Amino acid sequence: MTSECHEESAGCFSKLFFCWAQPLMKKGAKKLLNKESCVYFLPQDLNTKTLSEKFTSDPQNQPNNSQFEYQRLENKATKSRTVLKSLHRNFGRTYYLLGLLKFGSDMLGFAGPILLNYLVKYVESNEPTIHGCYYAGGLFLSSFIGALLSTHFDYQVNKVSLRIKTSLITAVFNKSMLAKPVSLAQFSTGEITNFMSTDVNRIVNFCPSFHQFWSLPIQVVITLVLLYQQVGVRLQAGLVLALLMILFNRYLAKKMGEYNKDMMGHKDDRVKLMTEILLGIRVVKFNAWENLLSDRINSIRAKELKSLKGLKYFDAGCVYLWATTPVLITLLTFSIYSITGHQLTAAKVCCVGWITYILNYLKKIFQNNRAKKKVLRIENGTFSWGFPPPAEDMNGLHQVQGQDQLLRDLDITIKEGELVGVVGTVGAGKSSLLSAISARMERLDGSIHCGCHDDGIAIVMQESWLQHATIRDNILWGSEYDAAFYLQVVQCCALKEDFAVLPSGDSTEVGENGVTLSGGQKARVVILISSVYLQRKKLYLLDDPLAAVDQHVAGHIFHECIDGLLGGTTRILCTHHTNVHFKFFQNYSTLKIIIWIYAFLVSASFYAIQFIQALLQNEIVSPLCIASHSPDIILRRHSTWTNHQPMLKRLVHDRRLPPIHAEHLPCSNHRRPWNDHHHVLRVALGCCPSAATCCVLLLAYRFVLLAENKPIKTEPPITHNVMWYLMVYGIIAASNSIFTLIRAFTFAYGGIRAATRMHVKLLASIMKAPISFFDATPLGRIINRFSSDLYTIDDFLPFMLNIFLAQITAVLGTIIITCYGLPWFAVLLLPLAVCYYYIQYYYRLTSRELKRLSSISLSPIYAHFNESLMGVSTIRPFNRSSSFINHNMELVDRNQRCNYSTLVAQKWLGVRLQMMGVVMVTGVAVTAIVQHEVQFISPGMVGLALSYALSVTGGLSGVITSFTETEKHMVAVERQSYYINNVPQERGISTRLSSPWPLDGAIEFKEVCLRYRPNLPLALDGVSFQIAGGEKVGIVGRTGGGKSSLFLVLFGLVPTTGGAVIIDGVNIRKISTDQLRGEMAIIPQDPFLFSGSLRANLDPTGAVCADERLWWALESCGLRGVAEQMGGLDSNMGERGQRLSAGQRQLLCLARALLRKVKIVCLDEATANVDLESDRLIQETILTHFKRCTVLTIAHRIDSVMRSDRVIVMDNGHVIEIGEPSQLLNQPMSFFAQLANQ
């Protein structure tokens, strides 16, 4: 049952002392806070939706975005947009008014030393008793009211912090969903994730400190006035020393800022690379790059730790100065005051000492109609993947041509209900055309109008994107479930049989980005997503959706879905597979074909001519209809039509094709881009050999500090005696300084050692985890361990642990000194101790559960954010951004409810501890008055006890606060320890064969069985076959038949349930995975590249030094021209290789395989995203350069395996046929022949 927020209906007294939070505390004490719905709802001023709408309604925060219509570029100066201005506009008034509470609390804070001075004088003199009562009453009122003001100031400031955090997180997410993709491309996924996590936290953490800037000068002036009243002009020496220390602290703070900036930059780079590694973990595992990429991560981490080391050591210097400055100022002031002939009294000593500590505190703060409508119209459009050139360059677009990838001079009109085919070579720009339509590219010139922008468009990307949810959730995408229509769509996409073999049918979870599904299954689920919304969408952009399925399934989907359910809508279909789609297109007499030719017309025009010839031969259009019937046949190329018109006419003539009139071929240019606290403490501080010394040093430091404040006996007032005491005080101060120095730097050293070890162990554990771990664990959860959790261990945990140990020794010392000075105070101390114990115990039970709920509710925010960033190119065209934004607000609201309840619990505790402090201060004052009236009492002891009692109010609260914060930060260590010790690891065989292996590349599967998880059916069931060394074998079969599973077993990525795999007589279980995977090469179904240069992606290990060999590999794969256009081997590939098309990325993976001297090469749908011309090039390259290698090719295209020596046909995890392609084709009833004839 959900809990309401009692704050808004609570009375004045209840709000003052947070009594309205009592039901929450009772639930925590009874251990009933076991789920997020048990905590309070947010009050109206913290409502996530309200805050998000208010913040995003600010014109400065609205993204300059139009999803389907581009505005013309104008040379206008844009106003600078800053987060600070937006925060000021939305939260400034409330936040600034809280300064009144701060001012009142600060002023009452100075009443303590003044009344202390009067009370000590009262003990020294024979004033009436009533005066002592007045002073004690003044101490009570000032500490009581000050405690309430301080508590409610902190509470309200933290509420503003929660409002800012909510607004910033939702703003970052909203802009990620709505901002122009070209602008979004400036930032990597890791950087945007850091914006949402680390950077937002740092802004929020600044809120409680802002009011210190204006209150600092006021407090300094009052402090100096009070000092002047006590010691006169002798305060100048202490003041000069304090100013020098402030300036020096300022220098340290500046250096710390520089180190912190460097550290955050390296952190962004590390998180970015780690995100890419996790996204491409299969490629990493296939190529045995774990050690290589771990070295890269550790290299960036070393730079980060270097900055962290400088930051922590400078911080240790600040801590040292903060702790020693008041001692030095006091010693210097007292010495000069005594030397000049003045008498030190107990009142002056206690008052000056207390004011000096206030001054030091300030120094610390300072540091710190309804014919057919035109659905799409592009007129003279020029689009870019980069930023618009300066205004002066707009008249000469050729000036940026060498720097950017462009779509130039597009003139396209598409009417409602048309089916438009877009064909062309790899990298020709087909996907870029869809990106321009869906507003992912920047418009440089011309105009584009989409008549269905209000309803959104449906887009099926070349790279299937799915959420970590069930198949049904991925299909419905939040819409209502219509059973009849749902079954119809499932049938038309040929998924009914697939659902039948899945353990939970369409309720099966697909894992991160659908990793548990085959490529074909993922593609069909994505098609389903668009089909479910066919009633709402008028325009469908289909980027080669049938590449990952076999021809039979492709035909079924085309006729039943694309031509069936989607009939009547406008469809733009990009494809390489013209030989497959010719028969699909035969019923379209008005088919629009847009042919893209990339690079030089001579090398690419053959494919265009062949396509036209195929159209004519299949009688899709008659030879004479090209002009008269006017299906649009548009050629896109680098240079003008007139430059290549004679050559194309000659090519047409040579191939005996009818003429194509030039006037029907408009000209344009184009370029195509891209885890027990004991263990925790041992791990966190046990890394340092002298870690135990830290606690000893803290105690030694604290008792030396107590000795410093032992009252100076002033009777008889002999100067010699005072100087002798000052000398002793100086020796004690020097000892304190030494202990403090050792303590500060020991903590810094121990924290750095802990941070270093934790990251090394965590990275090693994750990199050795099996692929099943990544399939079942959300990406955001793993990223959270490497970002916010690691940052907590780096920075917050050592800091808070240091504060906690210092606070607890300070409170213990205070109690000891107070009881020593006023023994009768022990009578009051006993009930206070019992009360304190039960309050903190009551609080900790609640706090622990609230912290747990906060952590649990935080990870889904990061997981959903990373998932949405990966699929933003799909989400935006569907107009589903608002749905994802609303879901993000729900997740943020859930987490903020936990954070708000945690804040309430903290203030419930804080106000009670503050009241205990008030009781202690009042008790000490009353005890001093009573003892003064009953018996003689030393004024020095009274002053000493009172000066310490005044600090106990903050000390008691500080102990619990620092302890709970330390306990909170320990959760990060617990989670990392869990990942270090409990994540399953791949088989740890370290045996490496001494002799060269493999020599021949012979492969044998013996009754191999594979089950991915215990509750899933067998993916491979008794598979047996033999492949001779150097043999070329094709592997075919329907989608989900188990083809890719063969490669997972061969590379040792998944453990087999039974059977064995033998390579050159060696069971692969008996050798290390590094050697096994390092001796084979694979071109995966989903090509994945890392951010960085072309050279680094082509030769990640650096084994190939000669540029000539790299260029040879690129030329062999037809990528030399692309590489030269991009800027050579050192050109940047963009995040995950976004500057290359999917087909070009596959070709680059082939080039990478060419550079490796291996005996076994595996191609998993390596030609799925390339055209027939590139497919033939790949086959020729394989036959030429892999002549002596064993080559295993998984393909849906039968032509891709016709040159193989043998073909293995897979179905439902069984080998149903094996033999030569020609023999199997001669058997009409063979499964292979049926596949070939489809």
Side-chain angles (χ1 to χ4, degrees):
M1 181 177 179
T2 56
S3 299
E4 298 179 357
C5 180
H6 294 248
E7 182 182 12
E8 295 173 336
S9 59
C12 182
F13 181 85
S14 180
K15 286 185 177 180
L16 201 61
F17 295 97
F18 292 90
C19 299
W20 58 270
Q22 198 67 29
L24 179 70
M25 307 306 294
K26 286 182 178 180
K27 277 189 176 183
K30 294 178 181 180
K31 299 184 179 180
L32 297 178
L33 293 176
N34 49 15
K35 52 185 178 180
E36 297 156 10
S37 59
C38 295
V39 300
Y40 283 148
F41 282 118
L42 294 171
Q44 190 60 35
D45 59 343
L46 287 177
N47 182 268
T48 303
K49 186 175 182 180
T50 303
L51 289 172
S52 178
E53 291 176 351
K54 178 181 178 182
F55 195 74
T56 54
S57 64
D58 189 336
Q60 292 195 21
N61 298 309
Q62 290 180 346
N64 183 17
N65 175 69
S66 177
Q67 291 194 33
F68 304 105
E69 292 193 44
Y70 291 95
Q71 303 298 325
R72 291 191 174 272
L73 295 173
E74 298 180 7
N75 189 19
K76 292 183 179 180
T78 58
K79 287 186 177 181
S80 61
R81 301 173 181 175
T82 65
V83 174
L84 182 60
K85 289 182 179 179
S86 299
L87 294 178
H88 167 75
R89 185 188 301 268
N90 288 277
F91 310 111
R93 182 178 180 181
T94 302
Y95 184 66
Y96 300 145
L97 287 176
L98 292 176
L100 296 175
L101 294 178
K102 173 67 175 174
F103 181 78
S105 175
D106 290 343
M107 294 304 101
L108 290 172
F110 286 103
I114 296 174
L115 292 171
L116 170 63
N117 183 37
Y118 285 117
L119 191 58
V120 173
K121 287 181 178 179
Y122 160 77
V123 175
E124 287 181 321
S125 63
N126 294 319
E127 292 185 42
T129 305
I130 191 64
H131 289 183
C133 295
Y134 289 154
Y135 302 146
L139 280 172
F140 166 74
L141 289 175
S142 63
S143 57
F144 177 77
I145 299 174
L148 289 178
L149 291 177
S150 176
T151 300
H152 283 275
F153 168 75
D154 290 339
Y155 174 63
Q156 295 298 333
V157 165
N158 278 282
K159 282 187 67 175
V160 174
S161 298
L162 290 179
R163 295 170 66 186
I164 291 175
K165 185 175 184 179
T166 297
S167 301
L168 290 178
I169 290 179
T170 55
V172 172
F173 186 89
N174 295 354
K175 288 206 171 185
S176 298
M177 291 294 101
L178 300 176
K180 290 183 179 181
V182 173
S183 301
L184 197 62
Q186 298 177 75
F187 310 100
S188 67
T189 303
E191 288 176 319
I192 300 176
T193 303
N194 273 340
F195 291 157
M196 198 177 191
S197 55
T198 305
D199 292 342
V200 168
N201 287 334
R202 294 175 74 86
I203 293 174
V204 169
N205 291 336
F206 175 75
C207 290
S209 303
F210 173 77
H211 283 286
Q212 305 292 353
F213 288 106
W214 63 263
S215 67
L216 176 64
I218 299 174
Q219 295 182 66
V220 169
V221 170
I222 296 175
T223 301
L224 294 177
V225 170
L226 292 177
L227 278 173
Y228 180 80
Q229 289 178 351
Q230 297 299 320
V231 297
V233 295
R234 269 68 58 181
L235 65 84
Q236 292 178 354
L239 180 59
V240 170
L241 180 59
L243 290 175
L244 291 175
M245 291 300 182
I246 289 175
L247 292 175
F248 188 58
N249 265 298
R250 183 59 186 163
Y251 166 76
L252 294 180
K254 182 179 179 181
K255 296 297 291 184
M256 289 170 62
E258 294 174 359
Y259 278 115
N260 186 68
K261 182 178 180 180
D262 291 340
M263 183 184 72
M264 296 307 296
H266 297 313
K267 174 183 169 63
D268 287 343
D269 294 339
R270 177 177 55 79
V271 173
K272 173 185 175 183
L273 180 56
M274 195 68 217
T275 302
E276 292 185 348
I277 291 173
L278 294 175
L279 288 171
I281 192 64
R282 287 177 178 265
V283 176
V284 173
K285 293 286 185 181
F286 272 129
N287 292 277
W289 288 341
E290 294 95 331
N291 294 332
L292 172 68
L293 294 175
S294 293
D295 290 341
R296 291 186 183 179
I297 290 286
N298 287 326
S299 176
I300 300 175
R301 177 63 174 171
K303 297 176 183 177
E304 183 182 0
L305 287 173
K306 183 179 180 181
S307 299
L308 178 65
K309 187 180 297 184
L311 177 65
K312 286 301 177 182
Y313 285 152
F314 273 100
D315 185 48
C318 289
V319 171
Y320 168 71
L321 292 176
W322 172 75
T324 58
T325 297
V327 180
L328 296 177
I329 293 175
T330 303
L331 179 62
L332 183 61
T333 303
F334 286 166
S335 298
I336 296 178
Y337 191 76
S338 298
I339 291 173
T340 55
H342 294 81
Q343 181 180 355
L344 281 173
T345 64
K348 288 187 181 294
V349 170
C350 294
C351 186
V352 170
W354 181 247
I355 294 173
T356 303
Y357 274 95
I358 293 178
L359 184 62
N360 186 62
Y361 172 71
L362 301 180
K363 174 178 67 69
K364 179 187 177 185
I365 293 172
F366 179 76
Q367 176 188 324
N368 260 341
N369 173 27
R370 190 172 172 97
K372 273 199 172 181
K373 296 180 179 179
K374 295 179 181 179
V375 176
L376 180 68
R377 174 62 178 162
I378 304 177
E379 296 180 348
N380 196 31
T382 299
F383 302 86
S384 166
W385 281 105
F387 292 103
E392 59 268 23
D393 290 344
M394 287 305 296
N395 295 326
L397 287 173
H398 64 279
Q399 298 179 21
V400 298
Q401 198 171 10
Q403 304 172 8
D404 200 3
Q405 289 77 20
L406 301 179
L407 289 173
R408 297 175 60 97
D409 305 330
L410 300 187
D411 287 288
I412 300 174
T413 300
I414 299 176
K415 298 180 180 180
E416 184 177 358
E418 288 185 331
L419 171 62
V420 179
V422 182
V423 300
T425 56
V426 173
K430 303 179 297 299
S431 298
S432 288
L433 174 62
L434 302 190
S435 297
I437 296 172
S438 59
R440 294 180 63 211
M441 296 182 70
E442 184 77 17
R443 185 186 58 79
L444 300 184
D445 197 13
S447 65
I448 177 172
H449 172 77
C450 183
C452 56
H453 66 276
D454 292 333
D455 298 324
I457 61 178
I459 185 167
V460 179
M461 302 299 295
Q462 206 166 13
E463 297 177 348
S464 304
W465 171 78
L466 297 175
Q467 293 180 272
H468 193 156
T470 65
I471 296 176
R472 179 178 293 188
D473 290 339
N474 273 283
I475 294 173
L476 296 180
W477 243 22
S479 65
E480 295 183 2
Y481 175 65
D482 184 341
F485 182 65
Y486 180 83
L487 292 176
Q488 180 185 1
V489 176
V490 170
Q491 181 63 39
C492 80
C493 289
L495 273 171
K496 190 174 181 179
E497 295 179 359
D498 296 86
F499 288 174
V501 299
L502 292 174
S504 302
D506 61 351
S507 296
T508 303
E509 287 202 4
V510 300
E512 193 79 35
N513 201 23
V515 294
T516 57
L517 299 180
S518 69
Q521 290 169 333
K522 283 198 292 184
R524 283 177 284 158
V525 169
V526 171
I527 297 171
L528 273 169
I529 292 173
S530 61
S531 299
V532 168
Y533 290 92
L534 65 94
Q535 294 175 327
R536 308 180 199 176
K537 311 303 177 187
K538 298 178 182 178
L539 177 61
Y540 285 78
L541 307 181
L542 309 174
D543 194 355
D544 212 358
L546 309 180
V549 298
D550 55 71
Q551 295 184 19
H552 171 73
V553 175
H556 178 87
I557 294 175
F558 184 87
H559 293 297
E560 298 294 330
C561 182
I562 298 176
D563 188 27
L565 284 175
L566 301 184
T569 64
T570 305
R571 293 138 294 166
I572 302 178
L573 174 62
C574 293
T575 182
H576 296 297
H577 309 285
T578 52
N579 61 327
V580 176
H581 292 96
F582 287 153
K583 59 185 73 177
F584 300 160
F585 294 156
Q586 289 179 2
N587 296 325
Y588 291 88
S589 59
T590 59
L591 170 70
K592 225 176 238 191
I593 302 294
I594 301 178
I595 306 174
W596 296 78
I597 300 180
Y598 181 74
F600 302 101
L601 187 62
V602 175
S603 63
S605 62
F606 175 77
Y607 178 52
I609 296 301
Q610 186 185 49
F611 184 83
I612 297 170
Q613 184 180 27
L615 289 176
L616 296 171
Q617 290 176 351
N618 284 275
E619 298 181 356
I620 298 175
V621 291
S622 65
L624 300 178
C625 283
I626 293 180
S628 61
H629 202 91
S630 274
D632 293 343
I633 302 178
I634 305 172
L635 279 78
R636 303 294 176 197
R637 61 216 179 288
H638 276 305
S639 53
T640 62
W641 161 252
T642 55
N643 290 344
H644 295 295
Q645 182 181 5
M647 187 178 298
L648 184 58
K649 285 183 177 179
R650 187 171 67 251
L651 291 171
V652 173
H653 181 267
D654 293 343
R655 287 162 181 76
R656 299 179 182 180
L657 295 178
I660 302 175
H661 300 286
E663 56 267 26
H664 297 294
L665 298 172
C667 64
S668 72
N669 274 332
H670 168 71
R671 291 192 179 185
R672 171 69 172 115
W674 19 271
N675 119 320
D676 150 37
H677 286 321
H678 169 264
H679 173 73
V680 167
L681 280 169
R682 180 177 59 81
V683 172
L685 288 175
C687 302
C688 173
S690 57
T693 311
C694 291
C695 298
V696 177
L697 289 172
L698 273 168
L699 292 172
Y701 153 75
R702 181 54 56 189
F703 285 111
V704 168
L705 197 62
L706 296 177
E708 294 172 4
N709 289 277
K710 186 175 181 179
I712 300 174
K713 294 185 177 182
T714 59
E715 295 179 5
I718 303 175
T719 305
H720 173 75
N721 291 337
V722 171
M723 293 305 297
W724 185 85
Y725 282 117
L726 285 173
M727 181 182 68
V728 173
Y729 185 85
I731 295 173
I732 297 174
S735 302
N736 166 69
S737 178
I738 295 173
F739 282 123
T740 303
L741 183 65
I742 298 174
R743 173 181 71 100
F745 283 90
T746 302
F747 255 100
Y749 176 74
I752 294 169
R753 286 289 301 273
T756 303
R757 284 196 174 188
M758 289 297 288
H759 178 265
V760 170
K761 292 181 178 180
L762 178 65
L763 180 62
S765 176
I766 294 299
M767 292 304 248
K768 293 178 182 178
I771 203 69
S772 58
F773 168 77
F774 300 99
D775 293 344
T777 307
L779 174 66
R781 190 176 299 170
I782 304 176
I783 291 297
N784 201 14
R785 302 295 89 81
F786 284 93
S787 56
S788 59
D789 283 353
L790 194 61
Y791 183 68
T792 296
I793 296 172
D794 288 350
D795 194 12
F796 295 119
L797 182 57
F799 177 74
M800 290 309 304
L801 184 59
N802 192 357
I803 290 179
F804 167 65
L805 294 176
Q807 289 274 13
I808 195 169
T809 54
V811 170
L812 289 174
T814 297
I815 294 174
I816 293 172
I817 290 298
T818 304
C819 291
Y820 173 77
L822 298 172
W824 285 100
F825 177 73
V827 176
L828 178 63
L829 185 63
L830 185 59
L832 285 176
V834 174
C835 183
Y836 179 76
Y837 172 79
Y838 281 105
I839 288 177
Q840 65 86 25
Y841 181 74
Y842 199 62
Y843 165 75
R844 285 186 56 231
L845 290 176
T846 303
S847 176
R848 185 183 302 139
E849 293 304 312
L850 290 174
K851 298 297 183 184
R852 181 182 61 83
L853 291 176
S854 295
S855 299
I856 291 174
S857 60
L858 181 62
S859 289
I861 297 177
Y862 296 132
H864 178 252
F865 185 61
N866 281 284
E867 192 173 64
S868 301
L869 279 178
M870 293 172 58
V872 66
S873 58
T874 301
I875 296 169
R876 284 164 50 87
F878 276 94
N879 258 7
R880 300 296 295 179
S881 297
S882 59
S883 174
F884 279 76
I885 289 172
N886 289 334
H887 184 54
N888 177 69
M889 286 193 292
E890 291 175 5
L891 295 175
V892 173
D893 190 85
R894 199 178 303 168
N895 178 249
Q896 290 295 72
R897 284 176 61 186
C898 299
N899 292 333
Y900 169 70
S901 298
T902 301
L903 173 62
V904 169
Q906 289 174 347
K907 298 312 161 187
W908 177 91
L909 170 72
V911 73
R912 281 151 181 78
L913 293 180
Q914 293 272 23
M915 292 303 105
M916 288 182 62
V918 171
V919 172
M920 290 185 67
V921 171
T922 307
V924 170
V926 172
T927 302
I929 296 172
V930 172
Q931 286 193 240
H932 172 66
E933 295 298 325
V934 174
Q935 65 185 44
F936 171 76
I937 184 173
S938 171
M941 298 305 297
V942 172
L944 180 65
L946 274 173
S947 62
Y948 271 94
L950 284 172
S951 66
V952 80
T953 304
L956 290 173
S957 177
V959 169
I960 298 301
T961 302
S962 59
F963 178 74
T964 53
E965 285 297 310
T966 302
E967 197 173 39
K968 168 188 172 182
H969 296 322
M970 285 294 186
V971 173
V973 184
E974 289 184 77
R975 289 198 293 243
Q976 289 209 355
S977 297
Y978 178 85
Y979 272 60
I980 291 171
N981 300 313
N982 297 91
V983 169
Q985 303 289 284
E986 289 185 312
R987 55 189 180 91
I989 299 175
S990 57
T991 304
R992 294 186 65 90
L993 301 178
S994 57
S995 58
W997 177 91
L999 292 175
D1000 301 322
I1003 303 172
E1004 181 181 2
F1005 275 60
K1006 291 184 177 181
E1007 297 294 329
V1008 173
C1009 297
L1010 172 65
R1011 192 190 306 272
Y1012 287 104
R1013 285 195 294 273
N1015 59 331
L1016 295 179
L1018 288 171
L1020 296 177
D1021 190 1
V1023 173
S1024 298
F1025 57 82
Q1026 292 182 352
I1027 299 175
E1031 191 175 8
K1032 310 298 183 289
V1033 177
I1035 304 174
V1036 297
R1038 299 199 187 279
T1039 300
K1043 304 183 296 296
S1044 296
S1045 297
L1046 293 176
F1047 286 177
L1048 294 178
V1049 171
L1050 183 63
F1051 281 79
L1053 262 65
V1054 291
T1056 57
T1057 307
V1061 179
I1062 311 298
I1063 299 179
D1064 277 6
V1066 179
N1067 191 325
I1068 63 172
R1069 285 178 171 270
K1070 298 181 180 180
I1071 60 175
S1072 67
T1073 55
D1074 289 345
Q1075 185 176 14
L1076 172 64
R1077 299 166 188 170
E1079 297 297 338
M1080 295 186 289
I1082 186 172
I1083 304 173
Q1085 187 173 8
D1086 298 319
F1088 191 89
L1089 302 179
F1090 294 95
S1091 300
S1093 67
L1094 175 60
R1095 184 194 304 275
N1097 278 281
L1098 196 57
D1099 183 26
T1101 62
V1104 181
C1105 299
D1107 288 358
E1108 292 80 6
R1109 184 162 177 79
L1110 299 179
W1111 284 113
W1112 165 81
L1114 291 171
E1115 189 169 8
S1116 299
C1117 299
L1119 287 177
R1120 185 181 184 112
V1122 177
E1124 290 175 343
Q1125 179 195 9
M1126 291 174 57
L1129 295 174
D1130 295 320
S1131 58
N1132 196 317
M1133 305 297 295
E1135 188 173 5
R1136 299 194 297 274
Q1138 63 181 5
R1139 292 187 66 188
L1140 297 178
S1141 68
Q1144 290 171 331
R1145 291 199 291 270
Q1146 282 190 318
L1147 291 175
L1148 187 59
C1149 291
L1150 175 61
R1152 189 161 56 200
L1154 287 174
L1155 295 171
R1156 298 181 60 187
K1157 298 179 180 179
V1158 295
K1159 281 294 183 180
I1160 300 175
V1161 179
C1162 302
L1163 290 81
D1164 188 1
E1165 287 292 347
T1167 61
N1169 295 314
V1170 300
D1171 54 80
L1172 291 176
E1173 183 77 15
S1174 300
D1175 191 1
R1176 294 190 185 97
L1177 175 63
I1178 292 175
Q1179 300 304 324
E1180 292 292 341
T1181 302
I1182 292 172
L1183 291 175
T1184 303
H1185 300 290
F1186 297 139
K1187 184 182 297 184
R1188 298 182 181 180
C1189 299
T1190 303
V1191 180
L1192 282 67
T1193 304
I1194 295 176
H1196 286 300
R1197 293 178 182 172
I1198 301 301
D1199 291 342
S1200 299
V1201 298
M1202 289 304 296
R1203 296 187 183 184
S1204 301
D1205 300 324
R1206 285 191 298 163
V1207 171
I1208 297 175
V1209 183
M1210 298 289 299
D1211 190 37
N1212 292 327
H1214 298 84
V1215 176
I1216 60 175
E1217 290 177 358
I1218 185 169
E1220 296 180 6
S1222 57
Q1223 293 179 352
L1224 295 177
L1225 283 175
N1226 292 330
Q1227 302 174 16
M1229 300 304 295
S1230 70
F1231 196 88
F1232 181 74
Q1234 294 176 22
L1235 287 174
N1237 293 328
Q1238 289 174 354

